[in-house]
Amino acid sequence: MSKLPKDLSYFRGKIVPSNEANVNIQTNALQYGTAVFGGIRGYYNKDFENVFIFRIKDHYKRLTNSAKMLQLSFDKSIEDLTEITLNLVKECGYLENIYIRPFVYVSSYELSPKLHDLETDFAIYVLKLNDYIDTKRGLLTKISSWRRIDDNIIPAISKASGGYLNSALAKSEALQSGCDEAIFLDSRGFVAEGSAENLFIVRDGNLITTPVSASILEGITRRSIIELAKGLGFNVIERDILRSELYVSDEVFFSGTGAQVAWVKEIDHRTIGKGQIGPVTKTLQDIFFNIVKNKEEKFKHWLTPVY
Ligand code: PMP
C-alpha cells in the first residue's frame, strides 16, 4: 500500500517526486533572488473529509502581478494555476493542514542580475503546516533596527524573493533578542508590518491597519480581516501608525497566511493592553478559524475544496 501523503512537487511542467525537483547551482534566481513566490494555506476539516484552500485565486492574482512588476515571463492563467495546484495536492493525498508554496524563478544561467527576456520556470511544493507562529500565546515583539524595503528599492507590494533578505534580517534579529517577531518601520519612520505579516491595532474601539503606502505587502489575510471586521460593524481605518501609538494600543495583532491571526503581548518590553488577547482580536480570530475550516456559510466563496 502506498504511504500518504506522497512527497511530490510541480517542477518543469509536471508532477515529480520532490527529491527530483532540483536546480543547477548556476541558476540566476539562486544567485540574485530573481523570483516571486506565494504562500497559500489549505485547511483540513474532518467533518467534510476535505481540505479547503483559502482564497487561491487571490493568491494567484498577486503572484501574477508580482511577476508582472518584475517583468518575469509568466503566462499561466489563474484558472490553470488553480488546476495545477489542486492536482498536485490531490496526487499527494494530503488530509491535514497544508501550506502551498508556488513560485516563478529565473531558471536561466544568465550571469548578470537582470529580469527581462530570461527563461523562467514555475514550481510548487507543499508542506504540512499547523501554526507558523503561536496563535494562542501572546507574541513578544520588538521594533526592528532594519527598515522595511521601500517600494523604490524593491517593489514592496510584490512577493519578490530577493526582498525577503530584509525579512530574514529582521526575523533573525528579533529571535536572537529573545522575541518571537519583528515589527518594521518604513523608510519614513512609520509602522509598516511584521517580517511576514501585516499589523492591526485597536485604539478606542477603532480597528486600524497600516496603509499600502507604508511599504507593506498587500496581504490577502489583511484584506479578509478588513472585510470581516467591517461586516461585524467595526470602524476600520487604514492610516499611518506611529511607533509610540503601538505602545498604548488596547490590542495589537498580526495577520498573514502563515501567522493567521496572532496576538501581540509585548512590544519593546511594553505590555500591550492587559497582556491578554483582546476582545476584538479574539472575535476576529475565532471567526477567521471558522471561515477557513468551512464553518461559516457566508464565506464559503473564499474556499476551494481539494477533493
Ligand atoms: N507581509 C509580508 C512581508 C508577508 O510575507 C506576508 C505573507 N505573505 C504578509 C504580509 C501577509 O500576507 P498574506 O495575508 O497574503 O499571507
Side-chain angles (χ1 to χ4, degrees):
M1 237 176 57
S2 67
K3 208 167 134 249
L4 289 176
K6 290 187 221 152
D7 186 9
L8 304 172
S9 297
Y10 183 82
F11 183 64
R12 297 195 177 138
K14 47 183 207 264
I15 295 174
V16 298
S18 294
N19 60 7
E20 290 173 21
N22 303 309
V23 297
N24 186 290
I25 56 167
Q26 290 181 55
T27 304
N28 184 277
L30 189 59
Q31 306 300 325
Y32 304 118
T34 45
V36 294
F37 69 100
I40 311 172
R41 269 192 189 263
Y43 289 88
Y44 177 56
N45 183 327
K46 209 169 184 308
D47 296 337
F48 294 95
E49 281 190 50
N50 214 333
V51 175
F52 297 97
I53 303 188
F54 187 64
R55 304 195 73 163
I56 187 167
K57 292 203 159 54
D58 296 292
H59 278 282
Y60 277 129
K61 179 100 204 308
R62 185 173 66 194
L63 186 77
T64 306
N65 281 343
S66 293
K68 185 174 179 186
M69 275 179 240
L70 300 193
Q71 293 182 280
L72 298 184
S73 83
F74 184 51
D75 57 8
K76 285 194 168 31
S77 70
I78 289 172
E79 286 66 36
D80 286 350
L81 293 164
T82 304
E83 198 186 318
I84 290 169
T85 308
L86 291 174
N87 285 342
L88 174 63
V89 177
K90 245 182 256 172
E91 182 107 8
C92 293
Y94 280 104
L95 282 173
E96 52 223 305
N97 294 335
I98 54 170
Y99 180 83
I100 302 162
R101 166 57 57 84
F103 57 108
V104 184
Y105 65 100
V106 177
S107 50
S108 156
Y109 299 164
E110 165 72 36
L111 185 61
S112 65
K114 68 175 213 119
L115 295 159
H116 70 289
D117 293 343
L118 291 178
E119 182 192 283
T120 64
D121 185 31
F122 169 69
I124 316 176
Y125 63 81
V126 188
L127 303 170
K128 287 186 212 173
L129 187 71
N130 290 311
D131 270 1
Y132 161 77
I133 46 179
D134 210 318
T135 54
K136 292 175 198 78
R137 171 177 73 79
L139 301 173
L140 307 182
T141 67
K142 74 188 290 287
I143 301 293
S144 184
S145 70
W146 300 96
R147 292 288 169 100
R148 167 81 179 152
I149 40 165
D150 185 85
D151 196 57
N152 287 301
I153 294 177
I154 294 174
I157 61 166
S158 72
K159 258 182 99 68
S161 299
Y164 276 77
L165 194 48
N166 182 229
S167 291
L169 286 164
K171 183 79 182 188
S172 279
E173 181 189 69
L175 293 174
Q176 288 172 334
S177 313
C179 290
D180 302 296
E181 191 47 271
I183 297 174
F184 274 124
L185 303 181
D186 68 11
S187 58
R188 304 165 305 158
F190 290 104
V191 176
E193 58 178 347
S195 72
E197 46 294 293
N198 294 117
L199 183 140
F200 286 82
I201 66 171
V202 179
R203 279 198 82 191
D204 305 321
N206 297 311
L207 183 64
I208 309 165
T209 192
T210 56
V212 175
S213 49
S215 292
I216 62 166
L217 180 78
E218 289 182 290
I220 288 158
T221 321
R222 171 183 179 274
R223 201 187 312 154
S224 309
I225 294 290
I226 291 173
E227 192 179 325
L228 250 175
K230 281 185 179 163
L232 291 171
F234 287 107
N235 188 27
V236 185
I237 307 166
E238 289 178 58
R239 66 151 173 88
D240 281 322
I241 296 175
L242 296 166
R243 170 188 194 155
S244 51
E245 263 187 292
L246 294 176
Y247 302 148
V248 293
S249 293
D250 303 315
E251 303 179 30
V252 177
F253 66 88
F254 289 122
S255 73
T257 298
Q260 305 172 107
V261 177
W263 65 282
V264 173
K265 183 175 178 185
E266 222 177 88
I267 304 174
D268 292 343
H269 305 286
R270 278 94 166 162
T271 301
I272 303 307
K274 297 196 174 76
Q276 292 161 355
I277 187 165
V280 177
T281 309
K282 179 83 176 88
T283 302
L284 294 169
Q285 192 190 57
D286 287 348
I287 298 178
F288 179 79
F289 282 129
N290 279 339
I291 290 174
V292 296
K293 298 224 153 181
N294 197 17
K295 294 182 186 167
E296 293 276 346
E297 194 61 31
K298 217 176 129 200
F299 292 95
K300 255 180 136 77
H301 61 283
W302 282 351
L303 303 177
T304 306
V306 171
Y307 303 102

